[in-house]
Amino acid sequence: MSEASTVRDGEDQRVTEAGLTREELLGEVQLLAAENARLRAQRENRVRRSYRRAAAGFFVLGVLAAVAALAVPESQTVLFSLAGVGLFVGVLTFWLTPSQVISAPVGDRVYSAYAATGRGLITDLDLQETGVYVPAPTHTAEAADVRLFVPQARRFVVPKASELESLLVVGGDDRARGVSLVPTGAALLAAFEEGRGDPASTVEEFASQLADALVEGFELVDGATATVDPDGGAITIGIRGSSFGAVDRFDHPVGSFVAAALAAELDTPVRMETRAADDRRSEFVVDCRWGEVGE
């Protein structure tokens, strides 16, 4: 018997298999909610403490360099420069400490809803599995100027930039029909460009910057290794340990960021495909090609 009814003090109460009344179950739920909130706060505090420890380390470095500059006059220029850098980075790290931390599973679930929508579009509109990232105006402040074009025809051509402003691309050329979306990587690219240092002078250097951003900047993966074929117009990035689950899903943030960044940097359409590199689906490969991207 899964559930029974009892009468106590004139009130009808539900008793579960575990022998708990409704009020007792509500109490258990409240305790679990409180514990969950405590653990979440504990995790956020731990992250904040790690940032503040790093800030304190830079402060100490700056102070020690300043003291050393006073003690060693012949090296004052270098030491005062080091002191300034240490104090500046310390202040920056302290004030940029995140006030709210979103766990990877939560982010993965949010992305999964978007991926399911994309998969539904491909199925219902009979689109191809190919994704082409095209430099085009998006008219949003939060995302870089790149669109994701998913063609309908197997032998397709990339639409004009003006045609990509609409969700449904239904121009005169049947080969240029499909859907145009703001990719997940466009928002990441906007953040990457804001914090980026000197521009890369070669495609190899830019690919290395993208791999570092995936690991260190956005913490989307545990490891990323880039291989470049500039003459063939291709970049391959091996991915290990994705924070957002399987990378071979629709417009996954990892592949989307790499393809969107390449499209914006090279100012040319980039075709992106992903695949699993092992049976455990813990490692993936992101292939990006530019030049002749159509079929």
Side-chain angles (χ1 to χ4, degrees):
M1 182 171 57
S2 62
E3 192 174 67
S5 178
T6 64
V7 177
R8 181 182 304 171
D9 296 333
E11 293 183 354
D12 184 21
Q13 297 187 357
R14 294 294 193 186
V15 180
T16 66
E17 282 185 345
L20 298 177
T21 65
R22 181 175 179 276
E23 288 74 14
E24 290 171 332
L25 280 175
L26 287 175
E28 291 290 333
V29 170
Q30 290 173 353
L31 286 175
L32 289 173
E35 179 65 10
N36 187 40
R38 185 188 68 81
L39 292 173
R40 187 182 299 111
Q42 187 179 62
R43 180 177 182 277
E44 292 178 358
N45 288 334
R46 186 165 61 249
V47 172
R48 280 193 286 268
R49 283 198 300 269
S50 67
Y51 271 75
R52 287 168 181 167
R53 282 197 297 269
F58 284 116
F59 277 128
V60 171
L61 174 64
V63 171
L64 290 177
V67 172
L70 296 176
V72 187
E74 59 272 18
S75 301
Q76 280 187 346
T77 301
V78 174
L79 290 173
F80 274 130
S81 298
L82 184 60
V85 170
L87 293 173
F88 173 75
V89 174
V91 171
L92 193 64
T93 304
F94 181 82
W95 286 109
L96 291 183
T97 299
S99 60
Q100 189 174 32
V101 180
I102 300 176
S103 66
V106 172
D108 183 26
R109 289 170 184 170
V110 172
Y111 159 72
S112 295
Y114 168 76
T117 301
R119 173 54 52 188
L121 282 173
I122 291 176
T123 301
D124 293 347
L125 300 179
D126 194 23
L127 304 176
Q128 303 298 313
E129 299 288 339
T130 299
V132 181
Y133 294 76
V134 187
T138 61
H139 303 296
T140 63
E142 298 81 9
D145 293 341
V146 177
R147 298 288 287 197
L148 167 59
F149 172 63
V150 185
Q152 187 175 53
R154 189 175 67 85
R155 296 184 178 276
F156 66 90
V157 295
V158 178
K160 299 177 182 178
S162 58
E163 297 176 331
L164 292 172
E165 295 183 10
S166 301
L167 173 63
L168 298 178
V169 182
V170 289
D173 192 338
D174 290 346
R175 296 175 302 165
R177 293 185 175 182
V179 297
S180 173
L181 306 169
V182 177
T184 60
L188 295 174
L189 176 56
F192 170 73
E193 291 177 341
E194 286 179 4
R196 184 180 173 188
D198 296 332
S201 57
T202 63
V203 177
E204 289 86 353
E205 185 180 349
F206 187 65
S208 179
Q209 290 179 352
L210 296 180
D212 289 342
L214 288 172
V215 179
E216 303 294 340
F218 300 124
E219 298 183 357
L220 290 174
V221 300
D222 294 334
T225 305
T227 304
V228 182
D229 179 12
D231 296 330
I235 286 180
T236 299
I237 297 186
I239 300 298
R240 176 175 52 82
S242 168
S243 299
F244 278 19
V247 177
D248 57 351
R249 291 179 287 173
F250 178 81
D251 193 37
H252 190 281
V254 170
S256 183
F257 164 66
V258 174
L262 282 170
E265 179 75 6
L266 303 176
D267 193 27
T268 188
V270 172
R271 179 171 178 170
M272 189 270 291
E273 295 177 350
T274 56
R275 67 181 187 275
D278 61 358
D279 295 336
R280 297 173 298 167
R281 296 178 65 78
S282 60
E283 297 185 6
F284 294 85
V285 175
V286 177
D287 287 319
C288 293
R289 297 183 178 276
W290 58 94
E292 296 296 328
V293 299
E295 292 284 354

